[in-house]
Amino acid sequence: MKYFGQDFLQRVSDSLNIADVIGSYVPLKKRGNRYWGCCPFHHEKTPSFSVSPDKGLYYCFGCHASGNLFTFVQKIENLTFPEAVEHLAEIAHIELPQEEISAEEQKKQSEMSAMYEAAKLAADYFHNCLTKTRMGEAGMAYFRRRHLTPEHIAYFKLGFAPPEWDRLFRDFTQKKQIRPEILRSTGLVGYSNGRYFDMFRNRCMFPILNLKGHPVAFGGRVLDDSKPKYLNSPETPIFNKRRLLFALYQALPKIRETRQVIMVEGYMDAISLHTHGVTNVVASLGTAFTIEQARLLKRYADEVVFSYDMDSAGQNATRRALEIAGTVGLKIRVARVGEGKDPDEFVNLHGGEAYLEAVRQAQPAMDYLLASLLHQYDATSLEGQQHILQEMFAVLTTRDDSMLINSYIRKMAQAMRLDEGVIRSEATRYVKKNHMHIYISPKENTENVVSRESQKLLRLEESFLRYCMQVRRAPSFWPDMKGYEYHSPFCSRLASIMEEFQESGQPLSEKLVQQKLEPEDMEALAALLMREEDDVSVPWEEFIRPLKLGSLQKAYKEHTEKANALAHEDPEASRQEMLTCIRLNREIQELQQKSSV
Ligand SMILES: [Zn+2]
């Protein structure tokens, strides 16, 4: 990743007004000291998207999209951070810092562009072979059987690889003067026993495009029943199959619009759905769904709907995919389209509208998983129960969400006709065995209370930090908060930056704070500072007291629970916990008395 120094970032953001930049995408109107418009990140008719030029931040009250200038451009243009910086530098007419490029790096770059060029020429070559030569007739017949029109074939630039041993190799090296090594490193030709040969022969060709729309690899399908049915390009310097998906480039506009991706298994499934008007569809590249793909999709979408074949292989693939998508925080559902049919068959039989209806009806991932496990194992036998629980826990624990786990423990108890307490203790054992840090509440429903309380604390912390920013000084009362443990890692980072300001005697400002934080923290910062404004005439004690009180009460509760839990096993430890409770209680009362004075 390219690195830009803090000074450079500062120069870029100083020379642009955030309201002007955002205003070029969304009409904004000034009201008070903010600008307002309709949010570009969700559908709305009345403006709830606000921009503050003073703070250099934006925040949407509808969908909570938030951040600074760089975040905005990253999101709306789908760029990486360095790309967003380059984009903005260009708008501001600021020259990029010159980088030293080594001779080695230069060579690598020119090899890469030669590979891109070769892949592009190959896509044209296969496409011409399909559409303009007699060799391609067999391929044409195949695509026609799959109901594709010439327009569809042109849109996906489908092709055909000649049924000869080294036709492409000869044409490309002799007529197009491409070096054999380049063809080999692009995965277009292989080499053995002193001879080069074409990797793809007598196959229907599906070009795989990168995010810029350049062909970087191919999938080739046989015409008959020979194996492998699909052959994919190997990994090359321009193609990492863990980081791409088939038809993603074509699907991106619709994915951005709907914030939803439909994931299918086969290239033909994806193409058929696109041709029937369902255009937010991508296909895996013959590999299991990877964490990299999940992260990539997370950039554009909030939800993935899996629409895999419902045979047992498809079910297993779905389950693995669920574990992965959960870890990056994508919402997941599973669509079932007619028993035993793949999406391609289904959409050709029933049309795009019926398929979309099946997507709307898609089941939340966990419900799907539980249902399919109940179908697969005998929930009345001890062994079956163990299988079901283990597999459910494996997926549930990938999400760091104890509310979710607890609500599924209840569902599992009902569906399996088991005692909820039994499942809770099994879950606790699973978590311990796998060294996870997830809290499984031993009792029902207490979880909701705990989580409501930490939510409340979190809001108090945020409003305290916002207050400090609004009074624009590193607060003199900072020592009062020394040692306070913030609930959110972000609040804790922000607090330590404020502490630096206080130590150096500098006044606080939103813009200076932005410089000290990492780009990843901009969204949280904007949300914190833009969501609301506190009344700055309120004395600071009013902000600190509830925070301290809250954290003392939380500690009191935890120690009480521990004392109760240890009462039988370890009376001495339990007594120590009780002593802590008494001390905490005294502190709580002191604080409460102060506030009533
Ligand atoms: Zn919004």
Side-chain angles (χ1 to χ4, degrees), residues 439 442-443 557-571 573-574 577-578:
Y439 176 66
K443 282 176 270 143
K557 224 179 135 169
E558 282 168 3
H559 287 285
T560 314
E561 273 182 20
K562 260 195 210 161
N564 290 339
L566 289 169
H568 292 295
E569 288 170 36
D570 190 346
S574 172
E577 292 295 330
M578 283 312 292

Side-chain angles (χ1 to χ4, degrees), residues 13 49 62 69 81 90 208 295 304 443 460 483 491 498 563 585:
S13 65
F49 181 81
L69 196 53
F81 181 71
E90 204 174 300
I208 297 161
R295 286 203 195 100
V304 183
K443 282 176 270 143
L460 286 170
C491 284
M498 289 186 176
N585 196 31

